[in-house]
């Protein structure tokens, strides 16, 4: 709800598809000097702001998520000057599946390197993502399984936490997955990481679905 957003220790900004701020946390208000009905482009450098509408229209037209759903480093404009931030932007929809707007979560990289804030940004963005999101550790153990993943796979969160992610894969892939992880940790070679791949995933009822898989470190 709005009270949860307002009280967040992270700057959170919600804007509609026209880039108008519809809600924000008190931290975002204090950091960026914006308020409800502000233009979201007010916190962007001029070269980014002038391209922003084009990015949105391209996403609406194609549905391709080039920046949405990824944590990335950006420069934001504040009344005190430019600020280097880590940002995660998620799209959200109404009950009929129509795009309503975007939620941005930000972390000031110049203020602190406290890993708790980095973790909070990650956990918040995973939890609120409209896409199935699963976080695993180096051994493939599931650490986070968001509500959309619960709906798609049919497993309750408690059914999968602490289990190996290969339980959600085709048997042939599941058998090799731990070796894929081990090879990446040994060599650093990225075959699937930072790319989008179509894969079949296994649901609780034994059926398989074809999904777009994006993997990031």
């Amino acid at each position: 709800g709005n009270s949860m957003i307002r009280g967040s220790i992270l700057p959170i900004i919600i804007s509609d598809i026209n880039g108008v701020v519809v809600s924000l946390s008190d931290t975002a208000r204090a950091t960026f000097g914006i308020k409800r009905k502000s233009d979201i482009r007010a916190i962007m450098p001029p070269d980014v702001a002038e391209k922003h509408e084009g990015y949105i229209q391209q996403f609406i037209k194609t549905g391709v998520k080039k920046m949405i759903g990824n944590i990335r480093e950006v420069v934001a404009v504040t009344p005190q000057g430019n600020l280097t931030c880590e940002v995660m932007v998620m799209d959200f929809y109404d009950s009929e599946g129509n795009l309503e707007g975007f939620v941005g979560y930000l972390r000031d990289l110049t203020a602190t390197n406290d890993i708790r804030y980095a973790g909070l940004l990650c956990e918040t963005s995973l939890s609120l993502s409209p896409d199935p999101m699963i976080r695993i550790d180096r051994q493939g153990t599931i650490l986070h399984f968001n509500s959309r993943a619960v709906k798609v796979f049919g497993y309750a969160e408690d059914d999968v936490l602490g289990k190996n992610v290969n339980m959600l894969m085709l048997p042939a892939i599941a058998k090799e997955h731990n070796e894929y992880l081990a090879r990446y940790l040994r060599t650093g070679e990225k075959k699937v990481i930072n790319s989008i791949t179509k894969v079949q995933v296994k649901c609780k009822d034994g059926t398989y679905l074809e999904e777009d898989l994006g993997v990031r470190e």
Side-chain angles (χ1 to χ4, degrees), residues 61-98:
K61 181 179 178 181
T62 67
V64 176
K65 299 181 179 182
K66 292 185 176 179
M67 292 178 285
I68 294 170
N70 295 321
I71 296 176
R72 64 191 193 281
E73 189 173 312
V74 301
V75 173
V77 176
T78 79
Q80 293 75 38
N82 288 351
L83 194 64
T84 303
C85 295
E86 202 171 60
V87 64
M88 173 76 142
V89 177
M90 307 301 302
D91 45 335
F92 66 93
Y93 299 80
D94 63 20
S95 58
E96 296 180 354
N98 300 308

Side-chain angles (χ1 to χ4, degrees), residues 164-178 180:
N164 196 292
V165 72
N166 61 17
M167 67 184 289
L168 307 174
M169 302 174 185
L170 288 170
I173 297 174
K175 189 166 59 174
E176 303 292 337
H177 187 255
N178 286 346
Y180 294 154

Side-chain angles (χ1 to χ4, degrees), residues 134-143 160 162-167 169 173-186:
I134 303 167
R135 183 165 65 89
I136 64 173
D137 65 12
R138 294 158 63 98
Q139 286 74 45
T141 304
I142 297 173
L143 304 177
V160 297
K163 306 284 183 60
N164 196 292
V165 72
N166 61 17
M167 67 184 289
M169 302 174 185
I173 297 174
K175 189 166 59 174
E176 303 292 337
H177 187 255
N178 286 346
E179 177 54 30
Y180 294 154
L181 284 176
R183 187 183 307 125
Y184 169 64
L185 293 172
R186 285 196 311 268

Side-chain angles (χ1 to χ4, degrees), residues 37-157:
K37 299 186 179 180
S38 292
D39 190 324
I40 191 65
R41 290 174 295 184
I43 70 170
M44 302 175 187
D47 61 324
V48 177
E50 69 181 14
K51 298 174 183 176
H52 183 257
E53 186 176 352
Y55 292 149
I56 301 303
Q57 293 306 314
Q58 184 71 7
F59 170 64
I60 292 172
K61 181 179 178 181
T62 67
V64 176
K65 299 181 179 182
K66 292 185 176 179
M67 292 178 285
I68 294 170
N70 295 321
I71 296 176
R72 64 191 193 281
E73 189 173 312
V74 301
V75 173
V77 176
T78 79
Q80 293 75 38
N82 288 351
L83 194 64
T84 303
C85 295
E86 202 171 60
V87 64
M88 173 76 142
V89 177
M90 307 301 302
D91 45 335
F92 66 93
Y93 299 80
D94 63 20
S95 58
E96 296 180 354
N98 300 308
L99 179 66
E100 280 199 304
F102 304 91
V103 185
Y105 314 90
L106 301 100
R107 180 171 73 99
D108 177 3
L109 292 177
T110 63
T112 178
N113 287 320
D114 189 337
I115 195 169
R116 291 174 299 170
Y117 287 89
L120 181 60
L121 175 60
C122 180
E123 291 299 321
T124 302
S125 57
L126 286 176
S127 296
L128 297 181
S129 171
D131 297 316
M133 291 287 216
I134 303 167
R135 183 165 65 89
I136 64 173
D137 65 12
R138 294 158 63 98
Q139 286 74 45
T141 304
I142 297 173
L143 304 177
H144 189 103
F145 199 74
N146 77 348
S147 59
R148 181 60 183 166
V150 168
K151 185 172 183 180
V152 169
F153 288 96
Y155 287 100
E157 187 178 22

